[in-house]
Amino acid sequence: MNAVPAPPLHLCGIEKSFAEPSGTLRVLDGLDLTVQQSEIVVLQGPSGSGKTTLLQIAGGLLHADAGTVRLCDTDISSASEADRTAARQRHLGFVFQHFHLLDALTVEDNVALGLRLKRQPVDRARVAEVLDRLGIASKARKLPRDISGGEKQRTAFARALVGRPDLLLADEPTSQLDSHATEAITALLAEIARSWQVAVLVATHDVRLHPIANRLCRLSQGKIDA
Amino acid sequence: MLIRTGLAILAHERPKYAGAVLGTAISLFLMLLLSGFYFGFRRDITIVPDSFDADLWVSSRPLLTFDFAAPFDDLAWTTALSTPGVRATTRVVAAFTRWRIPGAGGMESVQVLGFDPDAGVRAAFGDDVPDLSSRMRADGGVLIDWKDTRSLGVARLDEFGAEVGGRSARPVGWLKNRHLFNAAYLVVTDVDNARRHLRLPANAIHYLAVKCAPGADPAAVAAALRERLPELQVHEAAAFHDLTQDYWADRTGIEPMLFLSMTLSSVVGFMTVFLTFFLLTSQKLSVFAAMKALGASTADVGVLLWVQLAVVFASATALAGAGLYAAVLAFADTPISVVLPPPVVAGGIGLMALACAFACVPSLVKVARTAPAEAFRT
């Protein structure tokens, strides 16, 4: 009998507060969330509701005050910094609102950097394949300054996906894009999740991402209203 | 792992890093050139006594510096020669007087140095002049440095018309790199000619330069000379060198001035590298945070910074080296001496490397303290 694989992300009882001049601000209050393989979960909520905090905790970049964070089969809630970095390298891909590409590297080298940072050998064929799938193969030798915002975000997706992550965390991936680029990225996200069996957790205000979501989660009062 | 990435960033932002290279190169160039002046100055202070292969020096007392000695009777010469442990000794006359420029009639200050060229104490003046001894002994025969010919108004050997101390003099050979640190020019001749140019009595000398016999202990020979010449002062060569060097270093103030200049140029280099790296690192913090979020360790990002630093430093050193070579060539024909012993060059480069490394530390600390979560901020 085959064992059931652990979900890429499982959050249980997550609590997080921040000290503010006016007192303690409770951002996450016993939050539970599980994202399954190939599932796209869109996280929405007003500014300050804790979407980014949740992504940071899910990515092992921020410690929760209480609760458990499991990335596939690894519990990173109480892991050391080195173990959390290793778990990120094994299981995670990040896409940031502001892309954070290295201006000095070509599109293809930015993507290859994703492999280097994961301590994986730089497989140029794999890089070319990912660029092709994301529709930016013709831009491979271009520098970020020479491509559009949409192409930059595709490059950021390629960098996150080239290492075959189990879970993709994306923070406002369309906020810097025009509607045409947003449409293209949205379609791409759906296609990637399905064909590459990647779980995707997206924090966004953008309603144009809703149609591709398997699940819409609204963050309110530190909890998820499914 | 990120060496190529570091180099790519460097190439991409070359105008910014070129500023760091230029600043570091200028600092290194200045530091080494000023060191060259400093060591050139220190060498030239004692270039005359250091050119004698003497173990001991005998002078009148008290003596403040080689350049200002009172004369004494050269009867001491025979006494010194008969002292056990003495292999050879030469009489030395050294004092300042005036040189009359041929034709123009203008005057320049000169230091006349006279000694016995065949006395058995080797002296590195005009080694390559053929028949040196008889040329120096010829009436009015003098050696001057080839760098000083224009200032002293002579263009060729045996040119007539010059006067030293009111007596006719003619150049019979050229010295090489025997230039004084002060405004006077060195004129070398034999001891009798020197006495005449300086209007000294026929038995007057300023020094005895003494060479000890092989195996003789210079300290023991010095003690024996002190016993036989109680009215005179006997110096060991190293102490004699230090006496003159310390006197001029203290009196002129040039030493602290050059030292301060060297220090300030190092500080400028440090600040240039520090500010460049700190600002460039600050501009990229969000990217570094993103790299950390994607799996890079602080050490990975540190390697990236160190690679850039190494390239900046190597380029700056090459540039400074080329500049220094050009400067040394340019100063070769001037009275200014640039002396750069290899340990000084290595020390200067090492010091600048250390300054660059320290300048990079705040950037590394900033990177180390940057949390990967910073990548989520704008």
Side-chain angles (χ1 to χ4, degrees), chain A residues 52 55-56 59 61-62 81 85 88-89 92-105 109 113-114 116-119 124 143 145 159-160 169-171, chain B residues 1-13 284-297 299-301 304 371-378:
Chain A
T52 299
L55 283 189
Q56 290 173 349
L61 306 179
L62 193 64
E81 184 59 44
T85 300
R88 277 203 304 275
Q89 288 171 347
L92 276 181
F94 282 100
V95 174
F96 306 102
Q97 185 177 357
H98 294 279
F99 323 131
H100 295 323
L101 300 176
L102 277 173
D103 296 335
L105 301 186
D109 285 339
L113 184 65
R116 287 202 176 90
L117 296 177
K118 285 176 176 291
R119 306 293 194 270
R124 288 284 164 188
L143 290 172
R145 68 169 178 225
R159 181 180 62 183
L169 298 174
D171 184 37
Chain B
M1 184 181 85
L2 292 174
I3 290 174
R4 222 178 116 235
T5 306
L7 294 176
I9 292 174
L10 203 66
H12 184 72
E13 300 185 357
K284 288 195 180 59
L285 272 186
S286 58
V287 177
F288 291 148
M291 288 171 66
K292 285 173 124 183
L294 291 166
S297 64
D300 291 334
V301 184
L304 196 142
E374 298 280 331
F376 286 90
R377 299 201 181 124
T378 52

Side-chain angles (χ1 to χ4, degrees), chain B residues 144-169:
Chain B
I144 60 173
D145 197 282
W146 63 272
K147 281 185 180 179
D148 300 338
T149 52
R150 184 175 295 179
S151 304
L152 296 178
V154 288
R156 55 188 165 76
L157 292 179
D158 292 321
E159 184 171 337
F160 281 95
E163 289 180 7
V164 177
R167 279 183 61 88
S168 177

Side-chain angles (χ1 to χ4, degrees), chain A:
Chain A
M1 194 175 76
N2 291 336
V4 178
L9 178 66
H10 179 66
L11 304 175
C12 180
I14 299 297
E15 293 178 14
K16 184 69 185 175
S17 301
F18 293 103
E20 300 239 312
S22 55
T24 301
L25 178 67
R26 200 169 186 82
V27 179
L28 302 176
D29 186 13
L31 179 144
D32 300 320
L33 177 68
T34 300
V35 184
Q36 302 291 350
Q37 195 179 51
S38 299
E39 186 183 23
I40 298 178
V41 174
V42 172
L43 199 59
Q44 52 180 340
S47 293
S49 60
K51 299 189 298 296
T52 299
T53 301
L54 181 57
L55 283 189
Q56 290 173 349
I57 289 173
L61 306 179
L62 193 64
H63 276 292
D65 298 336
T68 308
V69 181
R70 292 190 72 86
L71 281 180
C72 298
D73 50 359
T74 311
D75 181 354
I76 63 167
S77 341
S78 52
S80 66
E81 184 59 44
D83 288 343
R84 284 192 295 145
T85 300
R88 277 203 304 275
Q89 288 171 347
R90 267 199 314 277
H91 302 298
L92 276 181
F94 282 100
V95 174
F96 306 102
Q97 185 177 357
H98 294 279
F99 323 131
H100 295 323
L101 300 176
L102 277 173
D103 296 335
L105 301 186
T106 61
V107 164
E108 125 182 277
D109 285 339
N110 263 292
V111 175
L113 184 65
L115 290 173
R116 287 202 176 90
L117 296 177
K118 285 176 176 291
R119 306 293 194 270
Q120 293 180 15
V122 175
D123 178 352
R124 288 284 164 188
R126 169 70 181 160
V127 172
E129 180 198 347
V130 174
L131 290 176
D132 189 45
R133 287 293 292 273
L134 274 84
I136 47 172
S138 62
K139 310 290 180 186
R141 300 293 169 87
K142 301 263 187 196
L143 290 172
R145 68 169 178 225
D146 299 325
I147 59 178
S148 68
E151 288 163 343
K152 283 180 191 167
Q153 195 57 297
R154 283 168 188 250
T155 306
F157 270 104
R159 181 180 62 183
L161 292 166
V162 72
R164 301 177 200 276
D166 299 296
L167 173 66
L168 183 66
L169 298 174
D171 184 37
E172 302 284 5
T174 56
S175 71
Q176 304 286 310
L177 308 182
D178 59 27
S179 57
H180 178 69
T182 299
E183 242 174 62
I185 286 287
T186 306
L188 193 65
L189 210 51
E191 144 69 5
I192 285 167
R194 189 179 64 249
S195 61
W196 291 3
Q197 300 186 317
V198 180
V200 181
L201 177 60
V202 188
T204 184
H205 287 101
D206 194 341
V207 294
R208 289 169 297 183
L209 282 168
H210 291 186
I212 63 161
N214 300 106
R215 207 156 26 116
L216 278 174
C217 295
R218 182 173 180 76
L219 201 53
S220 171
Q221 308 287 318
K223 287 193 167 70
I224 284 178
D225 301 331

